[in-house]
Structures are given as C-alpha cells and as structure tokens.
Amino acid sequence: MKKIDWPFEFPGTYWIDEKEENAVVDVIKNGSLFRYYGLNNAKYVDAFEAKAKKYYGVKYALGINSGTGALITCMQALGVGPGCEVIVPSYMWVATVGAVIANNAIPVLCEVDESFCLDSVDLEKKITSRTKLIVPIHMSGCPCDMDAIMAIAKKHGISVLEDCAQCNGGSYKGKKVGTIGDMGIFSLQLNKNMTSGEGGLVITNDEKLYFKAFSSHDMGLIRVNGRLAVPEPYAVNWGQGRRMSELCGAVASVQIDKLDAITGSMVKSKERIKKGLAGIEGLRFRKLNDATGDSGPFLIMILEDAKKAIKVAANMKESGLRNIFRIADYGLHIYYNIPSLVGKVPLSPAGNPWSLTENKSSDYDYKKGACPRSDELFARSILLPIPSKLTLEQEQSVVEIIKESVK
Ligand SMILES: Cc1ncc(COP(=O)(O)O)c(C=O)c1O
C-alpha cells in the first residue's frame, strides 16, 4: 500500500499568520483582555461581532466562549426547560444533546438519511405535543434539507435552532447556514472551519431572542457602554458567564476574513478527489442537500456493507491517513457511543432531567437500535477529513490510496 503524509484536519489553523499574531499582541499590549473594559480599549470581540453581522447578513451576532455554551444559551433563550422535548439527529456531537440535558429537557433522536443530516420523514414522526425545539445539525460540513425542516417546524409551530458548528461558511439555497432557523450557533474550536482555539457565535434576526441570549450568556442583564444594565423584564435572566475573551475575539476577528478562502480551498480539493474517484463500483458519496452550499471539511464515502467498510477503513489507515473513521466508530458523534446518554446519567443526585415530573411522559431509549436506519448507514460509511491546504500531489495520492483500498 502506498504511504501518505496527510496533514491534520484543523482547517483554520493552517491559515494563521502575522495578522492573528498582531491582533493577539495588541490585546496584551493594551492590557485589554476583558471585552467590556481594560487599561485601554482593544475591542476585538466587538469587531468580530460587527464582521459576523455583515458576513452572515443578520441583525444580531453574539461572540461567546464555545459552541457548547452557545447551544445552552440559545436553548435557554428559546424557553427549553422541564417538560420540553428537543429533536436532535442520531449523527451529532455530544454537546448538542448535552445542551438539552443542561436545560433539564429531554432529547428525542431522529434518523439521518444519506445526507447524514436530519431525515425529514422521521422528523415529523418524532413530533409530540411536548416538542419545543428542532436542532438540525449541518454535519460534517454540509447543509441539512432546510426547506423540509422549516416547513415541518412551521406547520407544528416549533422553533428551530441550527447547529452550524461543523459547517461555518456553508449555505443552503443561497442562504448562509444559521440564518434560516430562529437562531444559529457556531463553534470556533480548533477542528472547525475557522478557529480561535475555543470560542463560539450566536446569530439571529430576532431582537428578543438576542437580548435573552445576551443576558443568559453574561450575568443575566444587558450591557450599556460595557456596564451591566437592567433590560426589559423579558430579558432578565440567570447568567452563565460565557463571555468571549478579547484574546479569542482577536483571532476570530481576523479568521472570519479568511473563512471563504479556507472553505473554498477544501471544497476545491474535495471536488478534485471526488472526480478522481468517480465510477468506482461499490463506492458512493453522501447525498448533498445543496452541493453549492458544502463548506468542504469532510468527504463521506458509502460502501456496500459493514464488512467492506471495516476492510476499506483499515486499508486506508495502513497508508498513514490520519483520522479516518468508519462512522459507526466515530466516538461521541454517534448517539449510542455517548455513555451518559445511553445510561441516562442525571445532572444531579435528584435524577434530573430524567426524573422530573414534567418529563415523565418523555421516556425514550438511546441504546444502539433506537435509530436503526442510521445504525445501518453508519456501519458502512467512512469519513475522510479534507485538510485546508492540500497539494495536487497529495490529492492524487489519496485518490490512488482509496482506489487501492476499495479493490
Ligand atoms: C455539531 C457540534 N455542535 C457543537 C459543538 C460544540 O462546540 P465547542 O467544542 O466549541 O463547545 C461541536 C464541536 O465539536 C460540534 O461538532
């Protein structure tokens, strides 16, 4: 088997240069590490939010400490709590389901289809009188079928929170992901399309949701000129101390200018790799809900059956390819690999959220088998990260390795 030196899958990191460095140094030199005040005013989180509003074309953008923090905060703003069910896809990240639990609500699993995003047919079947929120996750870089999801949400009067952590810069039918539902969240953690190491972003066009999220991410109040101020009663909340630091803001405010170049590079590499793999018997790619909206960071390959996928993944690993996963083995991205979900681990000794009277009608199983169509798909699919700065030679080599591995 041919050997390959495959770069890491940290897209934004390969694009860091003196611009990020200068911004970070500026924060330090100004003694301005807190976004609201300091020795001087560097104001990088403000700059990041202003750029984000323009980039996504939304009225409100809120820098926050992480994608997980963004999810918990948005769910709080959207009124998720005891007695509420939140629909999440079977292919996810533990943070999405964890945010539901953190708000004392109950997650309801929904199948994914061959796009590896929410299956809208199953979605409608999972709605009950207690469904408060649908969380479509634009998984592994590609957008969900948002037309179908929004139509179902509208029909049943349910809110939609888009989890765009893995699809920053992606779009659906010309609209940036995160701008279609009631709110959208992003993660700026190291593995994401743009990064500040840690960090997150909330976007919305809804003023009330913005101020509720703002007060919940900070101290339960709003800020005027950086100082805490009492908002209208609807926005008074319990704060969670999830503010973005100026050091994160410094990096994020530079990286957002590079986001389209980063995703563009991955999309082009992926197109060339897919072209090189076209026509191989028994190898297909994931379904794309909008091919022009792909943000590029992963290629998902679908094989004939689990046995074949195990063999192909092992062959590919042998070549030196980093982080190849048969999706079934892809850690906390798969519902049945999350021990705290399968075991219904409570948040406190009182047993909440599972034990709450308000949640007693929402008794679900999260063990393997809960989403059988997803299970079958995960077993025969392989995920290949597409690094953000590949040479044509590396692309050609990976094509040869995959061809060899599938034989
Ligand atoms: C789909 C999804 N949602 C949420 C998150 C959480 O983001 P963070 O790691 O910034 O808390 C991640 C991060 O891996 C993710 O992949």
Side-chain angles (χ1 to χ4, degrees):
M1 175 71 67
K2 193 180 161 81
K3 295 282 174 201
I4 193 168
D5 186 16
W6 198 240
F8 290 103
E9 71 282 22
F10 308 136
T13 315
Y14 284 101
W15 295 67
I16 290 175
D17 59 24
E18 68 285 351
K19 288 199 179 119
E20 283 88 344
E21 195 181 321
N22 291 342
V24 169
V25 169
D26 197 36
V27 172
I28 308 267
K29 282 193 173 159
N30 273 290
S32 175
L33 287 91
F34 181 60
R35 73 168 290 190
Y36 291 113
Y37 44 81
L39 298 183
N40 289 297
N41 274 344
K43 295 287 178 205
Y44 282 100
V45 181
D46 281 1
F48 171 54
E49 290 174 349
K51 285 183 182 181
K53 277 197 265 182
K54 216 166 151 193
Y55 180 82
Y56 302 102
V58 288
K59 289 193 190 139
Y60 303 99
L62 176 65
I64 195 161
N65 67 338
S66 71
T68 309
L71 284 165
I72 296 172
T73 297
C74 287
M75 288 185 197
Q76 191 176 347
L78 286 158
V80 171
C84 297
E85 292 181 355
V86 178
I87 301 182
V88 293
S90 55
Y91 183 45
M92 57 158 105
W93 178 240
V94 59
T96 318
V97 80
V100 179
I101 302 297
N103 281 291
N104 275 303
I106 298 295
V108 175
L109 295 171
C110 178
E111 298 272 14
V112 295
D113 61 22
E114 285 203 0
S115 71
F116 288 82
C117 292
L118 273 182
D119 174 343
S120 54
V121 177
D122 195 45
L123 172 62
E124 191 145 30
K125 290 187 196 149
K126 295 290 165 70
I127 290 173
T128 72
S129 58
R130 298 176 299 283
T131 310
K132 180 76 177 174
L133 180 68
I134 299 167
V135 187
I137 313 182
H138 306 291
M139 278 301 284
S140 304
C142 292
C144 299
D145 181 1
M146 289 308 292
D147 278 352
I149 294 167
M150 293 309 292
I152 293 167
K154 205 166 167 196
K155 181 171 148 197
H156 295 272
I158 298 167
S159 303
V160 174
L161 167 61
E162 289 176 73
D163 182 338
C164 317
Q166 299 195 7
C167 193
N168 203 348
S171 61
Y172 175 78
K173 297 195 177 170
K175 290 182 187 157
K176 285 257 178 310
V177 295
T179 66
I180 303 163
D182 299 271
M183 303 183 94
I185 74 97
F186 298 85
S187 163
L188 308 181
Q189 181 268 343
L190 194 71
N191 292 68
K192 307 307 186 300
N193 291 349
M194 62 166 275
T195 189
S196 47
E198 291 277 13
L201 178 72
V202 172
I203 60 172
T204 183
N205 281 309
D206 185 306
E207 182 183 271
K208 284 197 165 166
L209 288 177
Y210 168 73
F211 282 111
K212 281 187 191 182
F214 185 95
S215 68
S216 111
H217 106 293
D218 192 3
M219 289 283 120
L221 301 175
I222 57 164
R223 298 236 175 207
V224 176
N225 297 327
R227 298 290 165 177
L228 290 167
V230 179
E232 285 186 45
Y234 79 84
V236 177
N237 215 326
W238 288 104
Q240 301 172 19
R242 301 187 189 278
R243 294 174 300 268
M244 177 178 266
S245 86
E246 278 291 289
L247 288 170
C248 274
V251 180
S253 69
V254 175
Q255 282 260 307
I256 195 169
D257 295 336
K258 302 177 179 180
L259 181 55
D260 286 343
I262 298 168
T263 56
S265 172
M266 294 188 292
V267 165
K268 285 208 176 68
S269 287
K270 185 153 99 177
E271 274 169 6
R272 287 189 288 265
I273 292 168
K274 279 176 87 171
K275 211 167 152 197
L277 294 171
I280 297 180
E281 215 188 297
L283 173 72
R284 291 187 297 118
F285 303 113
R286 82 194 286 190
K287 179 180 105 181
L288 297 174
N289 292 311
D290 179 356
T292 59
D294 183 355
S295 69
F298 297 98
L299 174 67
I300 297 183
M301 295 172 279
I302 306 176
L303 285 305
E304 288 148 9
D305 53 38
K307 204 170 144 209
K308 180 89 190 204
I310 290 168
K311 185 176 151 268
V312 174
N315 289 345
M316 287 170 72
K317 277 198 170 150
E318 202 191 300
S319 73
L321 279 170
R322 273 189 251 265
N323 279 351
I324 299 296
F325 282 99
R326 187 169 68 108
I327 294 201
D329 308 322
Y330 194 26
L332 302 179
H333 289 96
I334 306 296
Y335 69 95
Y336 58 71
N337 291 336
I338 303 173
S340 46
L341 180 64
V342 172
K344 297 193 184 181
V345 172
L347 273 179
S348 82
N352 58 309
W354 316 103
S355 62
L356 296 174
T357 317
E358 293 89 337
N359 290 331
K360 77 172 186 312
S361 305
S362 302
D363 186 16
Y364 297 100
D365 185 15
Y366 305 100
K367 288 195 279 297
K368 190 170 183 174
C371 291
R373 281 190 290 117
S374 303
D375 297 355
E376 196 271 331
L377 181 64
F378 299 154
R380 60 189 167 96
S381 304
I382 293 176
L383 178 104
L384 169 72
I386 305 292
S388 63
K389 280 196 177 168
L390 284 178
T391 62
L392 290 176
E393 289 71 34
Q394 284 169 318
E395 292 170 9
Q396 187 52 41
S397 297
V398 86
V399 167
E400 284 166 29
I401 286 165
I402 296 171
K403 277 185 175 168
E404 181 74 22
S405 302
V406 173
K407 259 188 203 162

